[in-house]
Amino acid sequence: MDRLLEVRDLRVCYRKGTEPPTHVVDNASFDLAAGETLGIIGESGCGKTSLALALLGLLPRGGFVQCGEVRFKGTNLIELHEADLQRVRGAEISFVHQDAGLALNPVLRVGDQIAEVLIAHRRISFRQASGEARKILAQIGFAGHEQIDRAFPHQLSGGQKQRVAIAQAIACGPALVIADEPVTALDALVQVEIITLLKTLQQHFHLALILITHTPAVLVPIAHRIMVMYAGRIVEQGLAPEVLQAPLHPYTQGLLDSGLDLLPQESPAGPLSSIPGEPPNLAALPAGCAFAPRCSDRMEVCQTREPVESHSGKSRIVRCIKYE
Ligand SMILES: Nc1ncnc2c1ncn2[C@@H]1O[C@H](COP(=O)(O)OP(=O)(O)OP(=O)(O)O)[C@@H](O)[C@H]1O
Ligand SMILES: [Mg+2]
C-alpha cells in the first residue's frame, strides 16, 4: 500500500484547570493510502473531531497530544514546529469544517478567499490567484455562474457555501482533505450533491479523503474503508463493504441498524434509537469495555477487562472481547 498517512497509538487529551487531563482519543492507530477515502463514524462526543484536529495540530486551547505519531509522507507532524506545520496545512492537507458559513469570512468575496489561500502557499500575484480561483470555482460546480467569485458568503445557499469551502480546501492541490461533518448542516438532497462532488474531486485529483460523519449512509457511495469510534477508541475498521454489510462489533451493528438510507432526511445527532443508553462520560469511563453497559452481547469479563484489537483478514480490526 502506498501509505500517505500513518497514525500510531495517538492519545489526545483536554486539560481543565488543575484536574487530571481527560483522554478523549486513546490508542488510535490507522493508515491511509494516497487516493483513498476513509469514513469515520460514531455518536456525538466519541472523539472524531478531536482526532481530526490533532492530526493537523489544530486542537483548541487545553487540548494536546499526549503521545503517539502522525506520519504524513514519512514526517511525524506531531514533532513539527508551528511554522513548518503551517506550510503543510492548506497546501498538503486541508480541512473542511461542518459549518461553511462559519469557516468563510463574511466580509470577503468568495473568489478573494480562495485567492488568499493560493497566495499564502504559492509565489503568485493577486491577479493570477484570482484567475485561478475562478477556474477552481467552475470546477467545483459553479460553471456558468459568471460572477460567483464576486459574491459574498451571505449571498450563497448552505450547499453553495460548502462548495466554496471545498474549493478553498482543494485550491493548492493537497494530497489529503479532512472533512468534518461536511454535509450535516445541509438538507438531504444537497448532502447527496456534496458527497457526489467530493467523490468526483477525489477521483479526479487522486485525493485521499477523511470523511467524518454521524450518518453511516453518507459513506456508502464514497468510502473505501470505514473506521468506527466509540468513547475515544477505534472499535472497528475495515473495507467499507465488509464493515457496512457484515459489521463485527456490537456497536457498529447498532449504528448500522439505524439504517443506510440518506433520503428521507436522517435524524440529527443524538442518542441512537437502536442502542439503549448513551455514550459514557470520557472523564469517568466504566471499568472494562466502555461499550459494555449498552452491549446486548456483554459477558462478565467485559465489565472487568478492556478489549484489545483482534485482526481478521488483511485489513479488518475489531476491539471486542468476543473476537479475541
Ligand atoms: N475544547 C474542548 N475542551 C474540553 N473538552 C472538549 C473540547 N472539545 C471537545 N471536548 C470533549 O472531547 C470529547 C470528544 O469530543 P469531539 O468533539 O471530538 O467528539 P465528536 O465525535 O466530534 O462529536 P460530534 O459528533 O458531536 O461532533 C467530548 O467528551 C467533548 O466533550
Ligand atoms: Mg465533531
Side-chain angles (χ1 to χ4, degrees), residues 31-33 36-39 223-227 237-240 315:
D31 294 328
L32 186 68
E36 185 179 42
T37 300
L38 172 70
H224 298 114
R225 283 193 305 120
I226 288 183
M227 203 162 95
Q237 49 178 315
L239 295 174
S315 59

Side-chain angles (χ1 to χ4, degrees), residues 14 16 24 43-50 60-61 181 214 282:
Y14 289 105
K16 265 191 207 138
V24 299
E43 281 165 288
S44 195
C46 68
K48 305 180 296 295
T49 297
S50 301
R61 216 181 150 78
E181 311 264 4
H214 292 109
L282 294 177

Side-chain angles (χ1 to χ4, degrees), residues 171-198:
C172 292
L176 168 63
V177 172
I178 303 174
D180 188 5
E181 311 264 4
V183 297
T184 304
L186 306 172
D187 73 47
L189 278 173
V190 184
Q191 291 192 358
V192 174
E193 280 173 28
I194 296 291
I195 292 297
T196 308
L197 169 67
L198 285 171

